[in-house]
Amino acid sequence: TLFRSSQLQSWIRGNVSDCERSIFIFDEMDKMLPGLIDAIKPFLDYYDYIEGVSYRKAIFIFLSNAGGRLINQVALDFWKSGRKREEMQLKDLDNALSVSVFNNKESGFWHASLIDKNLIDFFVPFLPLEYKHVKMCVEAELRLRGYEQNEDIVTKVANEMTYFPKDEQIYSDKGCKTVTRKIEFYT
């Protein structure tokens, strides 16, 4: 981990030295080795310069599924109480989400100083997609491929997706990840 931390820091330093408005996107943070994310802390902390380089204009985006179960549960609770998922606000998730991610031993954020020191400005939850959202994904993919809208294909693809919870079938298990492959069958 020490070698990887050093490589990561060197990579960030080189990019920001070349372009102060660099954007770094770290995907699947929940699969990152615990502790590795702390290598990024100096670049996010409240320093004006590190070794003559300012990181104030660099943007760091961390994507993770670590809070996915909690987000799904809150969305389902909203649905069960008759409220729409669009009514959900960040405050409905923020505290529980940061604590669950920070305390999850399987997460790259586990006891990470980025959370502990409040260096993450925003948690942006990706809400589970409902049937109507999946249909919108199918429509968008058809447009992207240059096909005319075909409600029959849209409905067939959306119906082939799997949804949860088992009895209610409200939210797509995989979001829209498999829409592209399913469309290929019908076009």
Side-chain angles (χ1 to χ4, degrees):
T1 305
L2 186 58
F3 176 70
R4 287 186 179 149
S5 295
S6 176
Q7 280 185 313
L8 181 58
Q9 288 178 334
S10 177
W11 178 70
I12 291 170
R13 192 175 299 111
N15 280 290
V16 176
S17 294
D18 289 343
C19 177
E20 67 180 2
R21 294 191 185 272
S22 294
I23 296 177
F24 301 94
I25 301 173
F26 296 88
D27 197 5
E28 298 188 346
M29 289 298 301
D30 48 310
K31 296 177 183 168
M32 187 176 275
L33 294 171
L36 184 59
I37 192 65
D38 284 336
I40 299 167
K41 180 187 177 288
F43 307 113
L44 297 174
D45 216 337
Y46 303 102
Y47 303 115
D48 288 332
Y49 292 90
I50 300 172
E51 297 177 16
V53 178
S54 173
Y55 296 86
R56 306 308 268 162
K57 294 181 182 177
I59 297 171
F60 293 82
I61 299 173
F62 305 105
L63 303 175
S64 174
N65 289 323
R69 284 191 201 122
L70 176 72
I71 294 168
N72 290 344
Q73 187 57 56
V74 171
L76 193 56
D77 291 344
F78 261 66
W79 179 81
K80 286 179 179 177
S81 68
R83 297 169 69 193
K84 295 180 180 179
R85 96 192 233 300
E86 287 80 8
E87 294 175 30
M88 202 178 314
Q89 296 183 15
L90 187 57
K91 67 181 179 182
D92 297 316
L93 294 164
D94 203 29
N95 289 338
L97 192 57
S98 63
V99 169
S100 78
V101 170
F102 181 72
N103 289 324
N104 180 352
K105 289 183 180 181
E106 304 300 315
S107 166
F109 286 116
W110 183 67
H111 285 267
S113 60
L114 294 181
I115 295 175
D116 190 32
K117 303 292 184 198
N118 295 307
L119 296 177
I120 295 181
D121 294 324
F122 300 100
F123 284 96
V124 181
F126 291 89
L127 301 178
L129 301 180
E130 296 174 352
Y131 180 81
K132 66 182 176 182
H133 302 115
V134 173
K135 287 181 80 171
M136 291 167 66
C137 290
V138 176
E139 291 167 355
E141 185 64 27
L142 286 172
R143 274 193 308 277
L144 184 67
R145 293 176 179 216
Y147 293 111
E148 288 187 28
Q149 291 302 306
N150 182 323
E151 187 58 35
D152 187 47
I153 291 175
V154 171
T155 301
K156 285 179 180 176
V157 171
N159 286 343
E160 282 187 19
M161 303 294 284
T162 56
Y163 297 87
F164 72 93
K166 188 177 180 179
D167 293 334
E168 292 91 351
Q169 302 283 303
I170 305 300
Y171 301 113
S172 172
D173 279 327
K174 295 181 175 128
C176 288
K177 290 179 183 175
T178 59
V179 162
T180 303
R181 281 182 290 175
K182 292 186 183 295
I183 285 177
E184 290 170 2
F185 182 75
Y186 294 104
T187 55

